Amino acid sequence: MNPKRQTVSPPGPNQHFFLVNANKKLSSFPPSSSMLKLLRLSSSLLARHSFSTTSKLSSSLRRPTKYRNCPCSSAFVGRFHTHKVLAMAETTSSSSSSHEHTNRLSAEHSPYLLQHAHNPVNWYPWGEEAFAEARRRDVPIFLSIGYSTCHWCHVMKVESFEDEEVAELLNDSFVSVKVDREERPDVDKVYMTFVQALYGGGGWPLSVFISPDLKPLMGGTYFPPDDKYGRPGFKTILRKVKDAWFSKRDTLVKSGAFAIEQLSEALSASASSKKLPDELSQNALHLCAEQLSQSYDSRYGGFGSAPKFPRPVEIQLMLYHSKKLDDAGNYSESKKGLQMVFFTLQCMARGGIHDHIGGGFHRYSVDERWHVPHFEKMLYDQGQLVNVYLDAFSITNDVFYSSLSRDILDYLRRDMIGPEGEIFSAEDADSAEREDAKKKKEGAFYIWTSQEIDDLLGEHATLFKDHYYVKPLGNCDLSRMSDPQDEFKGKNVLIELTDTSAPAKKYGLPLEKYLDILGECRQKLFDARSRGPRPHLDDKVIVSWNGLAISSLARASKILMGEAEGTKYNFPVVGCDPKEYMTAAEKAASFIRRHLYNEQAHRLEHSFRNGPSKAPGFLDDYAFLISGLLDLYEVGGGIHWLVWATELQNKQDELFLDREGGGYFNTPGEDPSVLLRVKEDHDGAEPSGNSVSAINLIRLASMMTGSKSEYYRQNAEHLLAVFESRLKDMAMAVPLMCCAADMISVPSHKQVVLVGHKSSLEFDKMLAAAHASYDPNRTVIHIDPTDNEEMEIWEDNNSNIALMARNNFAADKVVALVCQNFTCSPPVTDPKSLKALLLKKPT
């Protein structure tokens, strides 16, 4: 795929999108050179086997078209108007008497599947019933994959799946299957990989024709219902595929089987050795940082050009690399890297990608200034962004960054957490402008007219409008990419163009008073928009995404204790006691343990909505949750969280580890209907399961001793060796794995051991001191020698910790020791001394 942005002719009025590949969330990793050769071979074979009656169709599917990709795509992103009210079926109790059509999806729990439960299309969920029906009728399967907050999924639903003529074509000649990609990422991975590999791009809705034995035949993404711009519409495609199935079936099936065979071989690489070459472990980190620095936008922040995605793994790498440079005494280069990160985080926070009124961040910005976003909000973004803002605060002690962390977490606590502490998946970009509106529009919930602000804010309206660049004719004029179709004419997406000190001075106000007024104004606007129609909430609970959020909530509970006493907050930041974030983290973890974990089998389920989904836990679910549990333990959670993390790691190894070839597969490999089992490494919108697993193993190795520590370390080394060529040749695609590669080269990780009674305020303060400074190669262990169960656990896993606890326990104080390279510092008993000890440069 061409990495440069490319504007594409719109498929209809007020629709536009852009080609990008910097944030290919779905693609597990860009192909290696050897893989590309295999895919070219597969693609050329498909081309040779193309058939005359459908040659135009095949070629149109193999090349980028005006229609194939969409804003929900990993290849194309943008904005459009939805054409109809999108009724969201929120329960499974709807009876057929209230609908003209009802299909098998009405019995499902997925919000996305329920949105299609009353289409005239005779949809099946993914499963043997659908496959058996295709075999019985001897017809191909039409597989449609999407998710409930996907724009173009909504469009195709309205245009095609609610159309009687399309439904008749599908029902007569195909078995139609709907899949929620968030419920079944394993199924999505198979067919998206096929489409991306052979056709150069992909996205959602994913539209794939497959044989009754599930081999892919051909596919694309969004198709309009009718032929336009010289390209086939969905009805034409359906007719041609029907004809091809009967005239050239053998060729189609053989080509699809060959493609799957080649992809399976290319995407399940094995290591040629048990560990990385020593020099590569550190070189990959420097190479990735250098590549990211070359793509840095010094004017508006971020890495790469528009559309701009907040890819937190890039920030993580730059912070990690800067820390390494600082430790080595290369202060000037370290400072350069930090400046890139801080400026990027500031630009994002001040841009329209940040919801200034309600908190949290939208999915991405369509322009280079972080101004006009795609308004969808995803849980995986929120969790990761909190952590990088927390890291920035740890380095700078600047409340700007801690406030942003609180802003996101308070949004989650207010709008995204269920009654038992479970954390929901996403909020849609679309909503109705008013209760009686017949159409939903993107961003309607978040944008404002100048008059609305005048009416709501009264005397402070002018100040507020100046601060957020609000204009009577609308403010989406900062970039030609912001709103080229004038969709937001007369509307304003709030953005801060200047620092707060200058406008405060302009209005003759003390800065604190100016900020108070802005906070009061935001509260009024929040209250006003809350009275209107909200975007659709996808209240599915996904284990992996909850793991990311658990990590950020837990870390915030201790890092935010470093804020200066008396720090003032303004809406939408609540300003709660940081302990409340710990409570939220523990509730989310407890929900997963109660509802999505089998205590006897030690296995996770993938997701929950009105009960667990049918899908098992995948690699990301185990890896991300283990990471969250390790953070939960290290910031002061009970020893049971650490024990559960080790149990999950053991089960992850049993289900996913390639013991011979190294690394982890993405699925357990138990479902015969899932044709590909791959080892993912691409760190995109979400980090890869292998990158997170490598870091988890390194962390666990640093906590344990003896054979257990060695086992974890060897698995981490073998995992990284699988991806040696990626680290060497395409480091920027795997930034978190680059961090892991460097971590494993560190001779000895720093251990902070806290000994004392855990119920005391002093213990909390010492924990906060242990986490106050930024150091990814630090492990915090806490132990109460009077707790027999805890002592027994450490005796079994690291007897040195148990011995240190016995030898340094004092009933009236908390004792801290800092250990590295088999040497421990003299014990300290106050937070200030511990902070100073941890800030000492390595010798």
Side-chain angles (χ1 to χ4, degrees), residues 301-322:
F303 301 94
S305 57
K308 284 187 174 177
F309 292 80
R311 188 183 174 206
V313 289
E314 295 173 337
I315 302 293
Q316 287 178 271
L317 179 126
M318 294 301 290
L319 289 175
Y320 184 97
H321 184 245
S322 294

Side-chain angles (χ1 to χ4, degrees), residues 464 514-524 570-572:
F464 186 89
Y514 181 79
L515 294 175
D516 287 346
I517 292 171
L518 288 176
E520 292 165 8
C521 291
R522 290 192 294 265
Q523 176 81 68
K524 289 179 181 178
N570 294 104
F571 191 85

Side-chain angles (χ1 to χ4, degrees), residues 206-238:
L206 184 64
S207 304
V208 187
F209 297 93
I210 64 178
S211 63
D213 66 351
L214 311 182
K215 302 296 191 302
L217 308 175
M218 58 185 67
T221 57
Y222 162 78
F223 294 102
D226 300 301
D227 300 354
K228 288 181 182 178
Y229 307 112
R231 300 286 188 260
F234 191 50
K235 295 172 190 175
T236 297
I237 289 170
L238 291 175

Side-chain angles (χ1 to χ4, degrees), residues 135-375:
R135 292 193 296 268
R136 184 187 70 79
R137 290 174 52 196
D138 192 27
V139 295
I141 293 169
F142 170 65
L143 175 63
S144 177
I145 303 178
Y147 56 102
S148 75
T149 57
C150 161
H151 276 305
W152 287 88
C153 301
H154 300 333
V155 173
M156 197 163 179
K157 167 183 176 282
V158 171
E159 291 180 340
S160 291
F161 303 143
E162 293 180 355
D163 181 85
E164 296 286 350
E165 182 182 355
V166 170
E168 184 177 356
L169 287 167
L170 282 168
N171 296 340
D172 287 350
S173 302
F174 303 88
V175 169
S176 299
V177 174
K178 264 284 173 194
V179 167
D180 182 338
R181 69 163 297 269
E182 293 172 355
E183 263 196 348
R184 293 302 303 261
D186 55 336
V187 175
D188 181 54
K189 170 61 64 179
V190 173
Y191 300 103
M192 183 64 80
T193 302
F194 169 79
V195 168
Q196 286 180 324
L198 298 185
Y199 308 140
W204 303 278
L206 184 64
S207 304
V208 187
F209 297 93
I210 64 178
S211 63
D213 66 351
L214 311 182
K215 302 296 191 302
L217 308 175
M218 58 185 67
T221 57
Y222 162 78
F223 294 102
D226 300 301
D227 300 354
K228 288 181 182 178
Y229 307 112
R231 300 286 188 260
F234 191 50
K235 295 172 190 175
T236 297
I237 289 170
L238 291 175
R239 294 185 182 102
K240 287 185 176 292
V241 173
K242 173 189 172 183
D243 293 343
W245 179 249
F246 291 105
S247 62
K248 297 288 183 180
R249 180 187 312 190
D250 288 347
T251 301
L252 279 173
V253 171
K254 286 177 182 177
S255 299
F258 180 81
I260 286 294
E261 179 185 330
Q262 296 301 303
L263 286 168
S264 180
E265 183 179 339
L267 295 170
S268 56
S270 295
S272 58
S273 64
K274 294 291 186 180
K275 61 183 296 187
L276 289 173
D278 291 340
E279 67 279 2
L280 181 58
S281 291
Q282 297 175 22
N283 289 348
L285 180 73
H286 297 306
L287 176 61
C288 188
E290 184 179 314
Q291 292 172 345
L292 286 172
S293 298
Q294 290 170 356
S295 70
Y296 174 65
D297 181 348
S298 60
R299 188 172 183 186
Y300 300 118
F303 301 94
S305 57
K308 284 187 174 177
F309 292 80
R311 188 183 174 206
V313 289
E314 295 173 337
I315 302 293
Q316 287 178 271
L317 179 126
M318 294 301 290
L319 289 175
Y320 184 97
H321 184 245
S322 294
K323 167 68 172 170
K324 295 287 290 188
L325 291 172
D326 187 80
D327 287 346
N330 193 344
Y331 304 122
S332 61
E333 289 301 311
S334 173
K335 186 176 180 181
K336 286 179 185 177
L338 290 178
Q339 286 173 337
M340 292 181 199
V341 167
F342 298 152
F343 186 61
T344 295
L345 293 177
Q346 291 164 18
C347 290
M348 286 166 49
R350 292 181 173 128
I353 192 172
H354 174 215
D355 179 4
H356 295 273
I357 301 303
F361 280 78
H362 301 295
R363 180 73 276 272
Y364 62 83
S365 168
V366 302
D367 57 59
E368 73 278 13
R369 300 189 65 150
W370 304 99
H371 182 203
V372 179
H374 168 47
F375 290 89

Side-chain angles (χ1 to χ4, degrees), residues 599-631:
E599 295 281 356
Q600 285 71 45
H602 302 297
R603 293 187 67 156
L604 290 168
E605 303 296 329
H606 171 62
S607 64
F608 182 98
R609 188 178 188 273
N610 298 330
S613 68
K614 300 169 187 174
F618 302 111
L619 173 62
D620 287 2
D621 297 309
Y622 285 83
F624 294 9
L625 180 58
I626 290 167
S627 178
L629 293 175
L630 292 177
D631 286 330

Side-chain angles (χ1 to χ4, degrees), residues 422-704:
E422 70 275 28
I423 310 177
F424 301 137
S425 298
E427 287 193 296
D428 206 339
D430 297 348
S431 60
E433 292 185 292
R434 55 187 184 279
E435 293 293 350
D436 61 347
K438 294 185 177 180
K439 293 182 180 180
K440 288 188 176 184
K441 293 185 177 180
E442 179 170 8
F445 187 70
Y446 301 102
I447 58 179
W448 305 89
T449 65
S450 179
Q451 187 61 53
E452 285 172 333
I453 291 173
D454 286 338
D455 294 343
L456 289 165
L457 301 186
E459 63 174 320
H460 295 312
T462 300
L463 179 151
F464 186 89
K465 291 195 294 185
D466 279 355
H467 185 85
Y468 286 108
Y469 188 62
V470 174
K471 300 163 68 177
L473 298 180
N475 73 350
C476 298
D477 56 3
L478 292 173
S479 168
R480 63 179 179 81
M481 302 173 69
S482 297
D483 190 29
Q485 305 296 324
D486 288 333
E487 296 171 28
F488 293 144
K489 188 174 183 179
K491 305 287 187 177
N492 293 271
V493 178
L494 303 184
I495 182 172
E496 297 176 291
L497 296 180
T498 61
D499 187 69
T500 51
S501 57
K505 188 175 181 180
K506 172 184 172 182
Y507 283 91
L509 294 169
L511 181 58
E512 185 174 323
K513 176 63 176 175
Y514 181 79
L515 294 175
D516 287 346
I517 292 171
L518 288 176
E520 292 165 8
C521 291
R522 290 192 294 265
Q523 176 81 68
K524 289 179 181 178
L525 295 186
F526 176 86
D527 292 342
R529 81 178 191 184
S530 297
R531 294 190 287 269
R534 288 192 64 89
H536 159 67
L537 171 68
D538 189 326
D539 56 357
K540 182 166 64 267
V541 180
I542 297 174
V543 171
S544 57
W545 298 359
N546 270 249
L548 295 171
I550 288 167
S551 169
S552 63
L553 284 160
R555 294 183 71 237
S557 72
K558 288 300 176 288
I559 292 173
L560 293 178
M561 287 178 68
E563 291 174 315
E565 190 173 342
T567 298
K568 190 169 182 181
Y569 310 96
N570 294 104
F571 191 85
V573 175
V574 174
C576 66
D577 186 326
K579 289 180 182 178
E580 294 184 28
Y581 297 131
M582 184 67 166
T583 301
E586 293 188 311
K587 283 185 175 180
S590 296
F591 178 92
I592 293 171
R593 182 139 199 172
R594 280 196 309 275
H595 296 287
L596 289 164
Y597 182 64
N598 184 314
E599 295 281 356
Q600 285 71 45
H602 302 297
R603 293 187 67 156
L604 290 168
E605 303 296 329
H606 171 62
S607 64
F608 182 98
R609 188 178 188 273
N610 298 330
S613 68
K614 300 169 187 174
F618 302 111
L619 173 62
D620 287 2
D621 297 309
Y622 285 83
F624 294 9
L625 180 58
I626 290 167
S627 178
L629 293 175
L630 292 177
D631 286 330
L632 195 51
Y633 166 73
E634 286 202 42
V635 299
I639 190 71
H640 61 283
W641 297 125
L642 178 58
V643 172
W644 191 24
T646 59
E647 288 175 359
L648 287 171
Q649 186 63 59
N650 291 339
K651 183 57 64 171
Q652 177 183 316
D653 293 350
E654 178 186 323
L655 295 174
F656 305 99
L657 181 63
D658 181 353
R659 296 189 183 275
E660 293 299 318
Y664 292 97
F665 292 104
N666 65 328
T667 71
E670 299 165 336
D671 185 345
S673 71
V674 180
L675 304 184
L676 284 179
R677 195 176 185 222
V678 305
K679 296 178 185 177
E680 301 184 60
D681 71 347
H682 179 64
D683 298 318
E686 299 171 56
S688 78
N690 273 298
S691 295
V692 175
S693 293
I695 294 174
N696 290 345
L697 291 167
I698 294 165
R699 293 175 70 181
L700 286 167
S702 73
M703 291 182 173
M704 312 300 175

Side-chain angles (χ1 to χ4, degrees), residues 802-842:
L803 180 62
M804 290 168 64
R806 279 193 295 269
N807 291 344
N808 291 278
F809 177 66
D812 59 343
K813 60 184 68 174
V814 179
V815 177
L817 301 101
V818 178
C819 306
Q820 193 169 19
N821 296 321
F822 308 104
T823 304
C824 292
S825 67
V828 296
T829 57
D830 66 283
K832 187 175 180 181
S833 298
L834 178 56
K835 286 182 184 179
L837 195 57
L838 292 172
L839 286 172
K840 284 181 65 176
K841 298 290 182 186

